[in-house]
Amino acid sequence: MALSLEKFIHSLDLRTLPRVLQIQSGIYCQGSVYEMFGNECSLSTGEVIKVIGFKINKLIASICENNEGSQFSAKVELPLNFPGLYKVVADKTPYASIEEIARKVSIGPTRFGHPCFYSAKDIKLANFTIKHGEQITFNSVEEVNGTMTVNCFMVRNNQSHSFTLPLSQEGEFYECEDDQIYTLKEIAEWKIPKCRNRIVKLSNTLHMWDSSSPLPENFDGYLILMPVYEVQAVMKFRKDIVHILSDLDVEVKDITDCYDTGSFLQPLSLEDIFERTSKEFPMVAEIMEGPSESRKPYNLLSTGKEIVIYKKYQAARVLASEMRSDSSKKHFLIPMSYKGKFKRRPREFPTAYDLDIARSEKEQLHVVATKAFVSPHKELFSVSVGDQFLVQQCQTSEVLYEGRKKLIDVLACEQILSDSYKKVLLPMYMEGGFVEVIHDKKQYHLSEICKEFHLPFNVKVSVRDLSIEEDVLAAAPGLQFEEEITDSYLLISSASSPVESWEIPVYRLNMLVHLLSKDVQTVVPPVTRTTVEEVSKEEYYMLRRYENLTLQPPPRPPKKPT
């Protein structure tokens, strides 16, 4: 039965991909296909294509400036790279079965692919009962003893319980509230169920508003997002990926069951390559669709180029940001192989609590107060601007509070006087301001800083890495090393001239390849080029928000009544 391309997309179960389609009717030019703005916009009747995936190409957003229940007015078109971070509003329309959830909601191996639902009624399992309203997290879909099931877990009384739910399980399932924030691209890829729209609320604009923005100035309301899909397909006799927008006026027929899908090339993403076993490496591949990145070395990964993929692995990186207050601040991922050297820059501390976190056994922390603080307790010290302290340790102290003695956390310090030292106690909740005094003139490698000091840590490049053609870190006025992270990489080189190899990030570089049945000339990779990766503001927030949250200082008690 012939369907419009849009109806086919809405009826498609992603787990059944790839699918082979035959074009039944549509608007087309003589010949076969032509491209406009990177998308196939004409297909001839009888053409056969293999659909390997589809994704949201752009979003049509209806604007509501008040609350999600108000009337939505103007519609605007938003590209997926439109700046901003958004909170997802839980869908109030229930799902009738686990099968409907698995078919419409993205469930996958990444942190985005673990949706949470609750049941309106109790669900009795063999071992225990899921009570109505309890949050159920969906991890993956798999076949168990011939039955399709969803692997789930839930937390009850601080204990995690794992279990499976069959797709045949019926009920009334509602989406849970989500307190994370997402970019539009992440929402498009993971958070818009098929055949449903998604309401989101703008949380952070990331950029200053300008007149070219499709959203109103100072907008902080809600948007209804309606997706326009792009089909990714392979055609015979072509080695690249074709892109077809879902609103193209063509009808298609699914002929997968009576067609040899092996006659098409098999495109693989970097994630697909990374999931292969280590024994399958090294391998030779041809790029079917290169990344959009123009920076080196990604600009070398053009369509049609053959590459050798030597191995997959996890590698450590330090996430760093430029020390500047304007919106043009850059963010970097620095590999441990970086050969430059750094000198320390003074750190700033807003509270006494931050001083306690920063102190180390390696050296005594020396700071100068930049903000005055008047202590409400006579037992504790009042700070003046310019006071200098050596930080000692955290301890408890007894103070008189509203006529009663009370134990509170304090920071023991030595105040530096002109010719002596004075022992003082600062309340841990103290909201002041301190800047570090640096006595250390040593130059450090990146690995030494990570080993010897607590992050965050302020530095400036003192000796640039001469192995890098253009060391972008050397131009920064100062850098703050924020945290050490671990990420997934593939080690690759050019197949035709393997002079050097370089690491490419699996989850931040969009490209497709197909494997070639060629032998790798040498299994030992050439020397690896050090690459400092500049990340966008959206990628920076994505990297930071999933790391462990820093402990917050204890709340300040109410002031003593006058």
Side-chain angles (χ1 to χ4, degrees):
M1 183 180 73
L3 295 171
S4 71
L5 186 58
E6 199 160 33
K7 285 185 178 178
F8 167 76
I9 290 173
H10 286 309
S11 65
L12 180 65
D13 186 343
L14 282 173
R15 291 168 293 166
T16 66
L17 289 177
R19 308 298 297 177
V20 179
L21 303 182
Q22 187 177 51
I23 308 302
Q24 298 297 295
S25 65
I27 303 170
Y28 60 93
C29 322
Q30 188 176 1
S32 179
V33 301
Y34 66 89
E35 291 192 34
M36 184 179 291
F37 309 118
N39 294 304
E40 303 296 331
C41 56
S42 178
L43 295 165
S44 62
T45 300
E47 192 91 55
V48 176
I49 62 175
K50 183 171 81 168
V51 176
I52 59 172
F54 67 86
K55 61 182 181 180
I56 295 174
N57 175 273
K58 58 186 176 183
L59 296 163
I60 306 299
S62 299
I63 297 174
C64 176
E65 297 198 37
N66 298 317
N67 58 65
E68 58 181 296
S70 302
Q71 187 70 32
F72 284 82
S73 54
K75 289 186 178 181
V76 296
E77 185 177 298
L78 298 178
L80 299 189
N81 62 356
F82 186 76
L85 296 171
Y86 304 81
K87 290 200 73 170
V88 169
V89 176
D91 193 344
K92 293 182 172 59
T93 304
Y95 291 80
S97 65
I98 299 298
E99 186 277 332
E100 185 185 4
I101 294 175
R103 179 163 40 87
K104 293 184 177 180
V105 178
S106 297
I107 302 173
T110 75
R111 58 188 73 157
F112 303 114
H114 299 152
C116 298
F117 291 84
Y118 66 90
S119 172
K121 297 179 181 179
D122 292 355
I123 301 176
K124 292 185 178 180
L125 302 177
N127 299 328
F128 72 108
T129 298
I130 303 172
K131 297 175 183 176
H132 65 277
E134 286 190 302
Q135 179 172 300
I136 307 167
T137 300
F138 289 39
N139 279 339
S140 61
V141 180
E142 67 177 46
E143 186 176 336
V144 178
N145 300 326
T147 302
M148 293 303 296
T149 63
V150 177
N151 292 317
C152 309
F153 81 89
M154 60 178 291
V155 176
R156 179 189 290 170
N157 298 328
N158 296 322
Q159 286 191 319
S160 181
H161 301 272
S162 297
F163 55 91
T164 60
L165 290 174
L167 298 195
S168 58
Q169 177 74 49
E170 296 183 342
E172 191 177 331
F173 300 95
Y174 291 88
E175 195 175 40
C176 294
E177 294 291 340
D178 188 346
D179 59 359
Q180 291 286 353
I181 52 176
Y182 304 93
T183 64
L184 270 190
K185 187 173 184 293
E186 292 165 352
I187 291 172
E189 291 176 351
W190 292 98
K191 299 298 176 182
I192 300 184
K194 283 178 60 182
C195 306
R196 297 193 184 201
N197 297 326
R198 169 62 80 190
I199 299 178
V200 299
K201 187 178 190 308
L202 184 61
S203 174
N204 188 325
T205 59
L206 296 184
H207 291 282
M208 293 293 288
W209 181 90
D210 61 58
S211 57
S212 64
S213 173
L215 298 181
E217 187 173 3
N218 300 321
F219 175 74
D220 65 350
Y222 292 82
L223 301 171
I224 292 185
L225 303 179
M226 291 160 281
V228 176
Y229 291 92
E230 174 190 283
V231 175
Q232 297 166 297
V234 179
M235 304 179 72
K236 281 194 171 183
F237 315 117
R238 289 184 61 160
K239 287 188 174 182
D240 57 347
I241 307 297
V242 295
H243 304 270
I244 310 165
L245 291 182
S246 60
D247 53 3
L248 190 67
D249 186 18
V250 294
E251 289 192 337
V252 297
K253 182 180 180 181
D254 192 330
I255 59 170
T256 307
D257 295 338
C258 56
Y259 205 90
D260 178 18
T261 58
S263 61
F264 293 89
L265 292 176
Q266 177 59 46
L268 299 169
S269 67
L270 296 185
E271 291 94 327
D272 296 329
I273 296 291
F274 194 80
E275 287 172 6
R276 301 223 160 191
T277 63
S278 297
K279 293 180 180 178
E280 296 178 71
F281 294 87
M283 57 184 73
V284 182
E286 181 180 350
I287 298 173
M288 298 184 70
E289 187 169 82
S292 57
E293 294 278 351
S294 59
R295 301 190 303 271
K296 289 183 179 182
Y298 307 139
N299 60 339
L300 305 175
L301 303 174
S302 54
T303 300
K305 189 177 183 66
E306 292 185 10
I307 59 173
V308 179
I309 306 173
Y310 291 97
K311 59 180 178 177
K312 65 171 187 176
Y313 51 90
Q314 301 280 321
R317 293 288 187 273
V318 170
L319 181 61
S321 296
E322 284 186 315
M323 290 172 58
R324 54 198 305 171
S325 57
D326 55 27
S327 59
S328 61
K329 180 191 292 189
K330 294 179 180 178
H331 309 282
F332 306 96
L333 282 174
I334 310 173
M336 291 301 174
S337 60
Y338 181 80
K339 299 177 182 65
K341 290 186 176 182
F342 303 93
K343 277 190 174 180
R344 294 173 61 175
R345 290 284 302 273
R347 291 171 287 178
E348 295 182 2
F349 307 99
T351 69
Y353 181 80
D354 295 293
L355 294 177
D356 182 48
I357 292 175
R359 66 186 177 87
S360 69
E361 295 179 4
K362 176 181 168 58
E363 64 176 0
Q364 200 162 33
L365 182 59
H366 178 190
V367 295
V368 178
T370 57
K371 186 179 177 182
F373 169 79
V374 179
S375 172
H377 311 290
K378 64 179 182 179
E379 299 90 346
L380 305 181
F381 190 70
S382 292
V383 177
S384 300
V385 174
D387 284 350
Q388 296 191 45
F389 301 95
L390 296 176
V391 178
Q392 302 288 334
Q393 64 188 27
C394 175
Q395 62 187 55
T396 58
S397 177
E398 198 175 67
V399 298
L400 196 63
Y401 180 71
E402 294 184 346
R404 288 179 155 189
K405 288 184 178 180
K406 183 179 180 181
L407 278 179
I408 66 167
D409 291 328
V410 296
L411 188 65
C413 300
E414 286 187 340
Q415 184 189 10
I416 303 175
L417 304 175
S418 57
D419 57 354
S420 63
Y421 297 91
K422 176 184 177 183
K423 292 186 180 297
V424 298
L425 298 177
L426 304 180
M428 200 67 81
Y429 61 76
M430 170 187 166
E431 294 177 3
F434 302 91
V435 65
E436 183 179 21
V437 178
I438 302 291
H439 301 283
D440 182 4
K441 304 301 181 186
K442 182 182 173 182
Q443 298 182 106
Y444 292 89
H445 284 109
L446 182 62
S447 57
E448 293 176 313
I449 292 174
C450 293
K451 183 179 179 181
E452 296 181 22
F453 300 100
H454 292 292
L455 301 187
F457 198 74
N458 296 348
V459 297
K460 179 174 173 53
V461 174
S462 56
V463 179
R464 65 182 292 268
D465 186 342
L466 298 176
S467 69
I468 301 177
E469 187 176 328
E470 184 182 352
D471 188 347
V472 292
L473 300 181
L479 293 166
Q480 182 175 76
F481 292 164
E482 298 185 10
E483 57 193 329
E484 191 175 338
I485 67 169
T486 302
D487 211 351
S488 304
Y489 290 89
L490 296 172
L491 185 67
I492 70 167
S493 75
S494 168
S496 58
S497 54
V499 178
E500 60 184 7
S501 61
W502 58 90
E503 299 170 319
I504 56 173
V506 173
Y507 297 109
R508 285 187 304 282
L509 201 64
N510 293 319
M511 59 182 283
L512 291 170
V513 303
H514 73 95
L515 299 181
L516 302 175
S517 54
K518 289 185 177 182
D519 292 330
V520 179
Q521 298 301 317
T522 172
V523 295
V524 179
V527 60
T528 302
R529 175 198 283 189
T530 298
T531 304
V532 175
E533 183 186 354
E534 185 179 337
V535 295
S536 68
K537 197 174 288 288
E538 286 78 8
E539 289 171 331
Y540 167 77
Y541 279 103
M542 184 179 73
L543 288 164
R544 287 236 65 187
R545 67 190 163 173
Y546 290 106
E547 300 302 324
N548 291 330
L549 294 174
T550 304
L551 289 171
Q552 295 298 310
R556 180 173 179 169
K559 289 184 178 180
K560 182 178 179 181
T562 55

